[in-house]
Amino acid sequence: MTQGNTHRDARDPILRLQGIGKQFGAVTALEDIALDVHAGEVVALVGDNGAGKSTLIKVLAGVHQPTSGTIEYLGEQVTLDTPGKALEMGIATVFQDLALCENLDVVSNLFLGHELSPWRLDEVQMEVRAWTLLQELAARIPSVREPIASLSGGQRQTVAIARSLLLDPKIIMLDEPTAALGVAQTAEVLNLIERVRDRGHGVILISHNMEDVRAVADRIVVLRLGKNNGTFDADTSHQDLVSAITGASENAVSRRAERKLAKVGDTQ
């Protein structure tokens, strides 16, 4: 893992993207994207379907290579040419499908691919590390030997996030972590995201749920049609965020709403 620039200021971003572009043949998926992520903050990445969120995350995860632009990590320009390289460098991703093995227990999923085995599988040490991490995160997991198949959606998300923390990454990307979760499970995951931030990690949160975003994000970055379309504080109004996401002005949105109401009135 890179050690970064020893002369970096603590206020400098962990991750900085400048002019990132990505083309797939004649299709431009990303154009001139800029993004900074600092230690101990949650940056929400929002946008409509096709805005470029998934492509950008895959660039940072080492799945896609950018067509243009630069990626700086800890003050040094880097190339993330494979997912393994991104993870080794300290950028972890929890995709929406979680990639958990339901037939295995919690500790086996946490260490899958990174088992502790100096001579033979060190089950005891793996259990200790698993419990320690889950307790630090105040995770509501009944046992590290609990099968994944018996866990709730929120508990599974917790295991996936905890697994990403085992290698102590500086950046964690979460792709729709509250999708399809109930109210209680969503609250559990949002609390977990705050605890991850409080541990000093930089978190990139991708979500369509504006309430969730505004609950935990320090900054909100809007993508539209593959481009930056504004950076907002968490207390920005829902209307302003929707306008940035859709590309419509507040007046235009209001006029459309008025027209819909008028049509409803005509049919009554």
Side-chain angles (χ1 to χ4, degrees):
M1 184 180 297
T2 181
Q3 298 301 310
N5 188 337
T6 57
H7 301 293
R8 290 181 70 251
D9 190 303
R11 294 169 295 181
D12 291 341
I14 301 172
L15 182 70
R16 167 165 285 172
L17 310 184
Q18 294 179 302
I20 293 294
K22 178 61 182 176
Q23 288 186 286
F24 297 97
V27 177
T28 299
L30 298 173
E31 184 178 350
D32 198 27
I33 296 294
L35 178 69
D36 285 355
V37 182
H38 294 77
E41 75 164 346
V42 177
V43 178
L45 195 62
V46 303
D48 211 344
N49 293 332
K53 303 185 303 297
S54 294
T55 300
L56 182 58
I57 290 307
K58 289 179 179 178
V59 166
L60 290 174
V63 177
H64 296 322
Q65 281 65 60
T67 307
S68 59
T70 59
I71 300 174
E72 292 183 9
Y73 180 77
L74 298 179
E76 296 181 352
Q77 188 170 324
V78 298
T79 300
L80 306 174
D81 48 11
T82 66
K85 178 70 172 297
L87 184 58
E88 177 186 354
M89 192 164 291
I91 302 174
T93 308
V94 180
F95 289 106
Q96 194 169 348
D97 63 7
L98 301 184
L100 297 174
C101 299
E102 292 196 356
N103 61 314
L104 299 179
D105 58 25
V106 170
V107 67
S108 298
N109 271 275
L110 285 177
F111 285 91
L112 192 62
H114 300 282
E115 293 82 359
L116 302 180
S117 54
W119 302 104
R120 61 180 180 178
L121 202 61
D122 193 339
E123 298 276 3
V124 174
Q125 186 60 26
M126 287 165 59
E127 283 193 16
V128 170
R129 286 189 59 184
W131 261 124
T132 300
L133 177 58
L134 291 173
Q135 287 177 337
E136 288 177 359
L137 296 174
R140 297 181 178 180
I141 304 294
S143 168
V144 294
R145 288 303 179 186
E146 191 77 16
I148 292 295
S150 69
L151 299 182
S152 68
Q155 289 171 326
R156 294 183 188 204
Q157 186 69 239
T158 296
V159 172
I161 293 173
R163 181 178 59 189
S164 74
L165 293 171
L166 274 178
L167 297 180
D168 197 28
K170 294 188 179 298
I171 296 289
I172 299 172
M173 299 187 291
L174 304 176
D175 185 13
E176 298 286 356
T178 60
L181 296 183
V183 174
Q185 294 176 353
T186 294
E188 182 179 346
V189 172
L190 294 179
N191 287 336
L192 177 60
I193 292 172
E194 291 181 330
R195 289 192 288 271
V196 170
R197 173 184 60 195
D198 292 344
R199 285 165 55 99
H201 302 279
V203 180
I204 300 176
L205 170 65
I206 299 90
S207 179
H208 281 91
N209 190 312
M210 290 300 103
E211 289 185 8
D212 292 353
V213 164
R214 295 174 67 194
V216 298
D218 297 292
R219 289 185 293 119
I220 303 170
V221 175
V222 175
L223 296 187
R224 173 167 166 75
L225 301 177
K227 301 178 182 179
N228 286 105
N229 201 38
T231 298
F232 302 87
D233 296 328
D235 59 359
T236 299
S237 72
H238 180 80
Q239 181 62 65
D240 286 343
L241 289 174
V242 170
S243 296
I245 290 169
T246 61
S249 69
E250 185 173 349
N251 289 337
V253 173
S254 298
R255 285 196 298 271
R256 280 201 295 272
E258 289 171 0
R259 285 198 295 270
K260 286 185 178 180
L261 289 174
K263 288 181 180 179
V264 171
D266 290 341
T267 59
Q268 292 180 345

